[in-house]
Amino acid sequence: SRLEENVKKTVADNPVVVYSKTWCSYSAEVKSLFKRLGVNPLVIELDELGPQGPQVQKVLERLTGQHTVPNVFIGGKHIGGCTDTVKLYRKGELETLLSEANVK
Amino acid sequence: SRLEENVKKTVADNPVVVYSKTWCSYSAEVKSLFKRLGVNPLVIELDELGPQGPQVQKVLERLTGQHTVPNVFIGGKHIGGCTDTVKLYRKGELETLLSEANVK
Ligand SMILES: N[C@@H](CCC(=O)N[C@@H](CS)C(=O)NCC(=O)O)C(=O)O
Ligand SMILES: N[C@@H](CCC(=O)N[C@@H](CS)C(=O)NCC(=O)O)C(=O)O
Ligand code: FES
């Protein structure tokens, strides 16, 4: 579908992408973690996309198996949600992924 | 208002009350913390109340100054959100509040 191609292009063209919801504290945690790391992700707030929001969330589920937010991509690779991202950060692996994507 | 009286009665009549949303991970964290402590809170899922949900959320804001979920009460006292509750737990104060409310 066109929306699916759109999402694929977005994560391919942007080194760090966070699909988020503005009211969600888990989404806020991930965004603020990247900010602390000096990274400026492309943030897509699904609740600000009107009827397209749920559609994009469905596409993400098809592409990644994950239907929740936040949904994080680095270097085009699906990373996971908040817990996954924080886990990688604590293991030191997040910064590795970021430098491999030429972000840090 | 009648809804306000309703909420006041709910938190007065139930030793532990959590106003929550079913999709929210912060709400889930608080509910699971109480579960681990062997506490069975009255959980009110605001997203399952239809149009009353936002109204109850507004009443809670009027009563507590807090417009977010989760919104936690122990022994009729407003405790706060997820972060506040976890902080009290780590300080050992949550279990004190629970026993004072005859819950633990
Ligand atoms: N363990 C996951 C939890 C993800 C999760 O449950 N996200 C919630 C919001 S906090 C969600 O997407 N709920 C369904 C929705 O909002 O559509 C993570 O760390 O990201
Ligand atoms: N620090 C607060 C954060 C509370 C918060 O921002 N809650 C969000 C959901 S995670 C919220 O209520 N957003 C507005 C809404 O859902 O109506 C806590 O620990 O509870
Ligand atoms: S909606 Fe509350 S943590 Fe995501």
Side-chain angles (χ1 to χ4, degrees):
Chain A
S1 77
R2 180 198 263 149
L3 202 52
E4 190 163 321
E5 290 316 305
N6 236 318
V7 171
K8 283 186 185 170
K9 183 160 172 39
T10 299
V11 304
D13 293 356
N14 296 275
V16 185
V17 183
V18 179
Y19 290 91
S20 163
K21 288 185 185 178
T22 57
W23 61 61
C24 170
S25 294
Y26 262 37
S27 300
E29 275 191 31
V30 147
K31 287 180 279 184
S32 110
L33 170 58
F34 281 123
K35 187 169 193 173
R36 284 203 304 282
L37 295 176
V39 172
N40 196 10
L42 176 66
V43 175
I44 292 144
E45 301 289 0
L46 296 183
D47 55 296
E48 294 186 334
L49 299 183
Q52 270 211 350
Q55 294 171 13
V56 172
Q57 200 164 348
K58 269 250 157 20
V59 167
L60 288 166
E61 178 170 15
R62 252 198 334 268
L63 293 175
T64 67
Q66 180 183 320
H67 66 278
T68 55
V69 292
N71 204 331
V72 180
F73 293 77
I74 297 173
K77 273 214 309 267
H78 179 241
I79 299 304
C82 177
T83 327
D84 302 311
T85 305
V86 169
K87 252 186 213 141
L88 287 173
Y89 170 65
R90 293 202 177 128
K91 293 205 269 171
E93 289 178 33
L94 191 68
E95 276 152 295
T96 306
L97 290 164
L98 289 168
S99 47
E100 285 176 352
N102 298 319
V103 194
K104 244 191 73 57
Chain B
S1 76
R2 181 201 260 149
L3 203 52
E4 190 162 322
E5 289 316 304
N6 236 317
V7 171
K8 283 186 185 169
K9 181 159 173 37
T10 300
V11 304
D13 293 356
N14 296 277
V16 185
V17 183
V18 179
Y19 290 91
S20 163
K21 287 185 185 178
T22 56
W23 62 61
C24 169
S25 295
Y26 263 35
S27 299
E29 274 189 32
V30 147
K31 287 180 278 184
S32 110
L33 170 58
F34 281 122
K35 188 170 194 174
R36 283 203 303 283
L37 295 175
V39 172
N40 196 10
L42 175 66
V43 175
I44 292 143
E45 301 290 359
L46 295 184
D47 56 296
E48 293 184 335
L49 299 183
Q52 272 212 350
Q55 296 171 9
V56 173
Q57 201 165 347
K58 270 250 154 21
V59 167
L60 288 166
E61 178 169 15
R62 257 204 323 275
L63 293 174
T64 67
Q66 180 183 321
H67 67 281
T68 54
V69 292
N71 203 331
V72 180
F73 294 77
I74 298 174
K77 273 212 313 269
H78 179 240
I79 299 303
C82 176
T83 326
D84 303 312
T85 306
V86 170
K87 253 186 212 142
L88 286 174
Y89 169 65
R90 293 204 177 126
K91 293 205 270 172
E93 290 178 34
L94 191 67
E95 275 153 296
T96 305
L97 290 163
L98 289 167
S99 47
E100 285 176 351
N102 298 317
V103 194
K104 243 190 73 56

Short mmCIF file of all heavy atoms in Angstrom, two decimals, chain B residues 55-85:
data_model
loop_
_atom_site.label_atom_id
_atom_site.label_comp_id
_atom_site.label_asym_id
_atom_site.label_seq_id
_atom_site.Cartn_x
_atom_site.Cartn_y
_atom_site.Cartn_z
N GLN B 55 -14.83 13.26 31.46
CA GLN B 55 -15.48 14.04 32.52
C GLN B 55 -14.89 13.70 33.87
O GLN B 55 -14.63 14.59 34.70
CB GLN B 55 -16.99 13.79 32.52
CG GLN B 55 -17.67 14.27 31.25
CD GLN B 55 -19.12 13.81 31.17
OE1 GLN B 55 -19.68 13.27 32.14
NE2 GLN B 55 -19.74 14.01 30.03
N VAL B 56 -14.67 12.40 34.11
CA VAL B 56 -14.06 11.99 35.38
C VAL B 56 -12.64 12.53 35.47
O VAL B 56 -12.20 13.01 36.52
CB VAL B 56 -14.08 10.46 35.54
CG1 VAL B 56 -13.29 10.02 36.76
CG2 VAL B 56 -15.51 9.95 35.62
N GLN B 57 -11.92 12.51 34.33
CA GLN B 57 -10.55 13.03 34.31
C GLN B 57 -10.55 14.52 34.67
O GLN B 57 -9.66 14.99 35.39
CB GLN B 57 -9.93 12.79 32.93
CG GLN B 57 -8.40 12.83 32.94
CD GLN B 57 -7.77 12.23 31.68
OE1 GLN B 57 -8.42 11.57 30.89
NE2 GLN B 57 -6.48 12.49 31.50
N LYS B 58 -11.57 15.24 34.22
CA LYS B 58 -11.70 16.67 34.55
C LYS B 58 -11.99 16.86 36.04
O LYS B 58 -11.44 17.77 36.68
CB LYS B 58 -12.84 17.30 33.74
CG LYS B 58 -12.42 17.86 32.40
CD LYS B 58 -12.46 19.36 32.36
CE LYS B 58 -11.57 20.07 31.39
NZ LYS B 58 -11.05 19.35 30.24
N VAL B 59 -12.88 16.02 36.57
CA VAL B 59 -13.20 16.10 38.00
C VAL B 59 -11.94 15.85 38.84
O VAL B 59 -11.67 16.57 39.80
CB VAL B 59 -14.30 15.09 38.38
CG1 VAL B 59 -14.41 14.94 39.89
CG2 VAL B 59 -15.64 15.51 37.78
N LEU B 60 -11.18 14.84 38.45
CA LEU B 60 -9.94 14.52 39.18
C LEU B 60 -8.98 15.70 39.15
O LEU B 60 -8.32 16.01 40.15
CB LEU B 60 -9.28 13.28 38.56
CG LEU B 60 -9.99 11.96 38.84
CD1 LEU B 60 -9.47 10.86 37.92
CD2 LEU B 60 -9.84 11.55 40.30
N GLU B 61 -8.93 16.38 38.01
CA GLU B 61 -8.06 17.55 37.92
C GLU B 61 -8.52 18.63 38.88
O GLU B 61 -7.71 19.27 39.56
CB GLU B 61 -8.02 18.08 36.48
CG GLU B 61 -7.16 19.32 36.34
CD GLU B 61 -6.89 19.72 34.91
OE1 GLU B 61 -7.58 19.22 34.00
OE2 GLU B 61 -5.99 20.54 34.71
N ARG B 62 -9.84 18.81 38.96
CA ARG B 62 -10.38 19.81 39.89
C ARG B 62 -10.06 19.45 41.33
O ARG B 62 -9.69 20.29 42.14
CB ARG B 62 -11.90 19.94 39.71
CG ARG B 62 -12.31 21.17 38.95
CD ARG B 62 -13.72 21.64 39.21
NE ARG B 62 -14.72 20.63 39.41
CZ ARG B 62 -15.41 20.01 38.43
NH1 ARG B 62 -15.14 20.31 37.16
NH2 ARG B 62 -16.33 19.11 38.71
N LEU B 63 -10.18 18.16 41.64
CA LEU B 63 -9.99 17.72 43.02
C LEU B 63 -8.53 17.61 43.43
O LEU B 63 -8.19 17.77 44.60
CB LEU B 63 -10.67 16.35 43.23
CG LEU B 63 -12.19 16.28 43.14
CD1 LEU B 63 -12.65 14.83 43.23
CD2 LEU B 63 -12.83 17.12 44.23
N THR B 64 -7.65 17.30 42.47
CA THR B 64 -6.27 16.98 42.85
C THR B 64 -5.22 17.85 42.15
O THR B 64 -4.05 17.79 42.50
CB THR B 64 -5.94 15.51 42.48
OG1 THR B 64 -5.93 15.38 41.05
CG2 THR B 64 -6.94 14.55 43.07
N GLY B 65 -5.66 18.61 41.17
CA GLY B 65 -4.69 19.38 40.39
C GLY B 65 -3.97 18.53 39.35
O GLY B 65 -3.16 19.04 38.58
N GLN B 66 -4.25 17.23 39.34
CA GLN B 66 -3.56 16.34 38.41
C GLN B 66 -4.49 15.94 37.27
O GLN B 66 -5.58 15.37 37.50
CB GLN B 66 -3.08 15.09 39.15
CG GLN B 66 -2.35 14.09 38.29
CD GLN B 66 -1.96 12.84 39.05
OE1 GLN B 66 -1.56 12.90 40.21
NE2 GLN B 66 -2.10 11.68 38.42
N HIS B 67 -4.07 16.19 36.03
CA HIS B 67 -4.93 15.88 34.89
C HIS B 67 -4.49 14.61 34.17
O HIS B 67 -5.05 14.26 33.15
CB HIS B 67 -4.96 17.04 33.89
CG HIS B 67 -3.64 17.26 33.21
ND1 HIS B 67 -2.60 17.93 33.83
CD2 HIS B 67 -3.17 16.88 32.01
CE1 HIS B 67 -1.57 17.97 33.01
NE2 HIS B 67 -1.88 17.34 31.91
N THR B 68 -3.46 13.94 34.73
CA THR B 68 -2.91 12.77 34.03
C THR B 68 -3.32 11.47 34.70
O THR B 68 -3.79 11.46 35.84
CB THR B 68 -1.37 12.85 34.01
OG1 THR B 68 -0.90 13.01 35.35
CG2 THR B 68 -0.91 14.03 33.16
N VAL B 69 -3.11 10.37 33.98
CA VAL B 69 -3.23 9.05 34.55
C VAL B 69 -1.84 8.43 34.59
O VAL B 69 -0.98 8.82 33.80
CB VAL B 69 -4.18 8.14 33.72
CG1 VAL B 69 -5.60 8.65 33.82
CG2 VAL B 69 -3.72 8.01 32.28
N PRO B 70 -1.59 7.50 35.49
CA PRO B 70 -2.51 7.04 36.51
C PRO B 70 -2.69 8.05 37.64
O PRO B 70 -1.80 8.88 37.88
CB PRO B 70 -1.82 5.77 37.05
CG PRO B 70 -0.37 6.03 36.83
CD PRO B 70 -0.29 6.79 35.53
N ASN B 71 -3.83 8.01 38.31
CA ASN B 71 -4.08 8.89 39.43
C ASN B 71 -4.43 8.02 40.63
O ASN B 71 -5.43 7.30 40.60
CB ASN B 71 -5.21 9.88 39.11
CG ASN B 71 -5.13 11.13 39.97
OD1 ASN B 71 -4.66 11.07 41.10
ND2 ASN B 71 -5.60 12.24 39.44
N VAL B 72 -3.59 8.08 41.66
CA VAL B 72 -3.62 7.10 42.75
C VAL B 72 -4.07 7.73 44.06
O VAL B 72 -3.60 8.82 44.43
CB VAL B 72 -2.21 6.47 42.94
CG1 VAL B 72 -2.22 5.46 44.08
CG2 VAL B 72 -1.72 5.84 41.64
N PHE B 73 -4.98 7.03 44.74
CA PHE B 73 -5.45 7.44 46.07
C PHE B 73 -5.24 6.29 47.05
O PHE B 73 -5.50 5.13 46.72
CB PHE B 73 -6.94 7.78 46.04
CG PHE B 73 -7.29 8.99 45.23
CD1 PHE B 73 -7.33 8.93 43.84
CD2 PHE B 73 -7.58 10.20 45.84
CE1 PHE B 73 -7.65 10.04 43.08
CE2 PHE B 73 -7.90 11.32 45.09
CZ PHE B 73 -7.94 11.24 43.71
N ILE B 74 -4.75 6.61 48.25
CA ILE B 74 -4.65 5.62 49.33
C ILE B 74 -5.29 6.20 50.58
O ILE B 74 -4.95 7.32 51.00
CB ILE B 74 -3.19 5.22 49.61
CG1 ILE B 74 -2.57 4.56 48.37
CG2 ILE B 74 -3.12 4.25 50.79
CD1 ILE B 74 -1.08 4.26 48.49
N GLY B 75 -6.21 5.46 51.15
CA GLY B 75 -6.90 5.94 52.34
C GLY B 75 -7.56 7.29 52.11
O GLY B 75 -7.56 8.15 52.99
N GLY B 76 -8.09 7.46 50.90
CA GLY B 76 -8.78 8.71 50.58
C GLY B 76 -7.84 9.86 50.25
O GLY B 76 -8.27 10.93 49.81
N LYS B 77 -6.52 9.64 50.44
CA LYS B 77 -5.54 10.71 50.17
C LYS B 77 -5.01 10.61 48.75
O LYS B 77 -4.68 9.52 48.26
CB LYS B 77 -4.35 10.59 51.14
CG LYS B 77 -4.54 11.29 52.46
CD LYS B 77 -3.26 11.86 53.10
CE LYS B 77 -2.06 10.97 53.16
NZ LYS B 77 -2.01 10.18 54.45
N HIS B 78 -4.86 11.76 48.11
CA HIS B 78 -4.28 11.77 46.77
C HIS B 78 -2.78 11.54 46.86
O HIS B 78 -2.07 12.27 47.55
CB HIS B 78 -4.55 13.11 46.07
CG HIS B 78 -3.95 13.19 44.70
ND1 HIS B 78 -3.02 14.13 44.35
CD2 HIS B 78 -4.14 12.40 43.61
CE1 HIS B 78 -2.66 13.94 43.08
NE2 HIS B 78 -3.33 12.90 42.61
N ILE B 79 -2.29 10.49 46.21
CA ILE B 79 -0.88 10.12 46.25
C ILE B 79 -0.12 10.72 45.07
O ILE B 79 0.98 11.25 45.21
CB ILE B 79 -0.72 8.58 46.24
CG1 ILE B 79 -1.41 7.97 47.47
CG2 ILE B 79 0.74 8.17 46.16
CD1 ILE B 79 -0.90 8.49 48.80
N GLY B 80 -0.71 10.64 43.89
CA GLY B 80 -0.03 11.18 42.72
C GLY B 80 -0.12 10.24 41.54
O GLY B 80 -1.09 9.49 41.40
N GLY B 81 0.90 10.29 40.69
CA GLY B 81 0.93 9.46 39.49
C GLY B 81 1.87 8.27 39.66
O GLY B 81 2.16 7.85 40.77
N CYS B 82 2.36 7.78 38.53
CA CYS B 82 3.24 6.60 38.56
C CYS B 82 4.55 6.91 39.25
O CYS B 82 4.96 6.22 40.18
CB CYS B 82 3.48 6.11 37.13
SG CYS B 82 4.62 4.72 37.00
N THR B 83 5.20 7.99 38.81
CA THR B 83 6.51 8.35 39.36
C THR B 83 6.43 8.60 40.86
O THR B 83 7.27 8.12 41.63
CB THR B 83 7.05 9.62 38.66
OG1 THR B 83 6.64 9.62 37.30
CG2 THR B 83 8.55 9.66 38.70
N ASP B 84 5.40 9.34 41.28
CA ASP B 84 5.23 9.63 42.71
C ASP B 84 5.07 8.33 43.51
O ASP B 84 5.68 8.17 44.57
CB ASP B 84 3.97 10.48 42.93
CG ASP B 84 4.00 11.77 42.15
OD1 ASP B 84 5.03 12.47 42.20
OD2 ASP B 84 2.99 12.08 41.48
N THR B 85 4.23 7.44 43.00
CA THR B 85 3.95 6.20 43.72
C THR B 85 5.21 5.33 43.82
O THR B 85 5.51 4.79 44.89
CB THR B 85 2.82 5.43 43.00
OG1 THR B 85 1.69 6.29 42.87
CG2 THR B 85 2.41 4.20 43.79
#
